[in-house]
Amino acid sequence: MKYLTLLILFISFGAFSQDMIPAKKGDVTINPITHGTLVLEHDNQVIYVDPYGGAAAFEGQKKPTLVLITDIHGDHLNQETLDGLDLSGATIIAPQAVADKLTTGTGKEVIVLGNNQSKAVNGIKVEALPMYNLPESTEAPHTKGRGNGYIVHLGGKQFYISGDTEDIPEMRALKNIDVAFVCMNLPYTMDVDQAASAVSEFKPAIVYPYHYRGTNGLSDVEKFKTMVNEAAPSVDVRLRNWYNQ
C-alpha cells in the first residue's frame, strides 16, 4: 500500500506538474502550462500569467481571479486564448501597450501598470518591473518601457516573473525573491549563460527556467542548472516540463 500511494503521488505530479511552495495562509500552488504561461493559486486567488496555448490548455484549472500579461507578442497577449476562458471574475493587469490591444470587455476590469508601478488587487500586491533587450535599441524585439516583468506577493513570499528580457541591471539588483521564473530563448531574450549569471547574482531561493523555446528548439536547461549550482549553490533550480516533451 505504501508503494501504491507513492506511485499515485508520482503519477499525479507528472500529470499536473504542480509544485507547492509553503506560505502564510496555505501553500502557493504552481501549475506550469506552456512556454511563458503558468497558473499560481493561493488562498482562493487564482492568477493566470500570460494565458496562451488555447483555452484547452487550462482544462482542469480554476477560473482566474487575476490575469497578468507581460507584453504584446502573441505568446503573451493571446486574445484567442483569453476569449476562450471565463474571465468574468478576473482583473487584468497589463502595460499600456497590451491594454491598447485588448478586445473591449476582456475581463472584469483592466488595470494598467507601467514599469516601477505597483497595485494591490484582491489583497495581492503586484509590482511591475522593466523587461527589455540589451543593448537597448528601438529595433529590439523588446524595448524598455513597453512590457512588464512582475513581482507578485503571495503569502509573505515574493514571486518574480521575468517576462521577455535579457539579464538587465534591474533583474540583477533584485532582493529577497523567493521564487523566480526566468526566460532563456534566443534570439528573443537571453541565452543560458546570461540567465545563469543573472540568477547567480540575485540569488532567488528557487528558480524555474521557463519560456526556453527559441528558433533553434529548446534551450539547455540542464546546463543552466549546472551553472547556477556551481556559482550559487544556495539556489534551488527546479526543472519542470513546460512543453509536453
Side-chain angles (χ1 to χ4, degrees), residues 23 30 33 39 42-43 62 81 137 171 173 192 213 227 229 240-241:
I30 298 172
I33 302 298
V39 175
H42 179 255
D43 192 29
K62 297 176 183 176
T81 300
S137 166
M171 177 167 61
V192 167
R213 180 181 59 207
M227 293 180 69
N229 287 163
R240 299 295 182 258
N241 183 6

Side-chain angles (χ1 to χ4, degrees), residues 28 57 61 74 86 100 146 155 168 178 182 216 232 245:
V28 177
Q61 302 294 332
D86 182 353
D100 290 344
R146 187 188 73 201
I168 56 177
D178 296 287
V182 176
N216 292 321
Q245 301 172 58

Side-chain angles (χ1 to χ4, degrees), residues 43-97:
D43 192 29
N44 297 317
Q45 297 298 318
V46 182
I47 304 169
Y48 284 21
V49 178
D50 284 338
Y52 163 69
F58 297 85
E59 186 174 345
Q61 302 294 332
K62 297 176 183 176
K63 294 190 299 184
T65 57
L66 182 63
V67 175
L68 306 179
I69 303 178
T70 61
D71 198 26
I72 60 175
H73 292 155
D75 54 344
H76 300 278
L77 168 57
N78 191 272
Q79 191 66 52
E80 181 181 356
T81 300
L82 294 172
D83 289 345
L85 298 171
D86 182 353
L87 303 182
S88 58
T91 297
I92 296 175
I93 292 181
Q96 187 66 60

Side-chain angles (χ1 to χ4, degrees), residues 90-226:
T91 297
I92 296 175
I93 292 181
Q96 187 66 60
V98 168
D100 290 344
K101 291 179 176 293
L102 283 171
T103 298
T104 301
T106 302
K108 181 175 66 174
E109 65 173 329
V110 177
I111 294 175
V112 173
L113 287 185
N115 291 174
N116 303 313
Q117 294 182 330
S118 64
K119 183 78 173 180
V121 179
N122 303 332
I124 299 169
K125 181 180 178 182
V126 179
E127 301 177 56
L129 305 176
M131 48 154 273
Y132 56 94
N133 291 118
L134 296 172
E136 291 183 55
S137 166
T138 57
E139 304 301 318
H142 308 95
T143 53
K144 188 174 184 178
R146 187 188 73 201
N148 288 335
Y150 293 104
I151 295 177
V152 183
H153 297 252
L154 293 171
K157 304 281 188 177
Q158 294 192 88
F159 292 76
Y160 170 60
I161 298 158
S162 75
D164 281 7
T165 190
E166 290 193 50
D167 53 332
I168 56 177
E170 294 90 341
M171 177 167 61
R172 289 179 173 274
L174 290 170
K175 304 292 184 185
N176 302 316
I177 298 298
D178 296 287
V179 180
F181 299 90
V182 176
C183 65
M184 54 194 78
N185 65 323
L186 294 177
Y188 309 109
T189 62
M190 55 182 159
D191 62 22
V192 167
D193 293 39
Q194 288 174 283
S197 175
V199 166
S200 298
E201 184 165 344
F202 76 86
K203 295 182 177 65
I206 300 169
V207 64
Y208 293 85
Y210 87 139
H211 198 289
Y212 54 84
R213 180 181 59 207
T215 54
N216 292 321
L218 303 182
S219 296
D220 188 347
V221 293
E222 292 285 356
K223 177 184 175 183
F224 168 80
K225 178 178 173 69
T226 297

Side-chain angles (χ1 to χ4, degrees), residues 15-28:
F16 299 103
S17 298
Q18 292 183 335
D19 275 13
M20 304 292 190
I21 307 297
K24 297 176 182 176
K25 296 185 178 180
D27 294 343
V28 177

